[in-house]
């Protein structure tokens, strides 16, 4: 299994407070069958704004500890980018000030949970014409999102990611119902854990229920 959305790098966002906690989280991922983790710390304007250099420094420390303990896991680097009109995020990506997933052309893009951007489809289009493929993070968590809007986003070229906890009903009934409808109708491209130190990965449990291996094994670099 490949987990494309995690907050495992220590001391860069709200995901892990220490290297020791990060290693504990990685060991849990290994125990449930994950063999590749994409580390995606938050980038949220005005809140989580660690530089790429700071993130890479902590990432290399984590990789060093993983190698020291000989843990059977592959770590890749990315970011969960919260869209903001206050930043030129396309230019930031081109200048290396924001990160794609595993050096691919794919970006993990988050939106405001409560306020729908006026130009959501245009946002996807603008990233696309600049060579980036948008994966929308945890689409079920946005209060403004509807089934028809997901279809419109997919028609614009976006890929859809849901959280395993939502599918399993560990969050809200609304999120469970929404994710199951999306999967039933073939509108989910990735299931991921969105794991934090306070939110253990449940990919294995979701996998056993969905029983569709392609949702977990898609190569992010293609």
């Amino acid at each position: 299994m490949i987990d494309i959305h995690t907050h495992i790098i220590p001391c860069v966002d709200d995901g892990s407070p220490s290297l020791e906690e990060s290693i504990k989280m990685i060991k849990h991922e290994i125990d449930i069958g994950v063999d590749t983790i994409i580390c995606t710390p938050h980038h949220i304007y005005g809140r989580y704004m660690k530089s790429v250099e700071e993130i890479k420094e902590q990432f290399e420390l984590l990789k060093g500890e993983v190698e020291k303990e000989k843990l059977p896991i592959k770590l890749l680097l990315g970011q969960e980018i919260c869209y903001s009109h206050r930043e030129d995020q396309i230019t930031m990506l081109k200048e290396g000030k924001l990160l794609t997933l595993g050096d691919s052309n794919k970006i993990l893009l988050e939106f405001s949970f409560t306020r729908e951007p006026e130009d959501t489809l245009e946002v996807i289009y603008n990233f696309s014409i600049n060579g980036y493929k948008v994966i929308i993070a945890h689409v079920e968590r946005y209060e403004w999102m509807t089934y028809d809007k997901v279809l419109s986003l997919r028609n614009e070229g976006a890929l859809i990611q849901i959280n395993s906890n939502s599918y399993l009903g560990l969050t809200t009934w609304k999120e469970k119902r929404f994710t199951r409808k999306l999967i039933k109708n073939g509108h989910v491209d990735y299931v991921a854990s969105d794991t934090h130190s306070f939110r253990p990965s449940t990919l294995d449990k979701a996998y056993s229920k969905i029983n569709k291996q392609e949702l977990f094994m898609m190569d992010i670099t293609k």
Side-chain angles (χ1 to χ4, degrees), residues 86-126:
R86 292 171 290 185
E87 297 180 305
D88 184 351
Q89 294 178 335
I90 291 172
T91 296
M92 292 173 73
L93 283 162
K94 289 181 176 180
E95 293 178 350
K97 295 177 182 178
L98 291 175
L99 295 167
T100 62
L101 300 184
D103 289 324
S104 71
N105 71 328
K106 294 184 174 68
I107 61 169
L108 186 64
L109 193 67
E110 177 182 40
F111 290 108
S112 167
F113 283 18
T114 57
R115 181 178 298 178
E116 179 180 8
E118 295 180 2
D119 54 351
T120 309
L121 296 180
E122 185 177 350
V123 169
I124 304 302
Y125 173 76
N126 287 337

Side-chain angles (χ1 to χ4, degrees), residues 19 32 88 105 133 177 179-180 190-191 222:
L19 182 59
I32 66 172
D88 184 351
N105 71 328
K133 189 74 171 180
R177 182 175 57 185
T179 55
R180 296 201 172 197
Y190 299 98
V191 179
K222 292 183 179 179

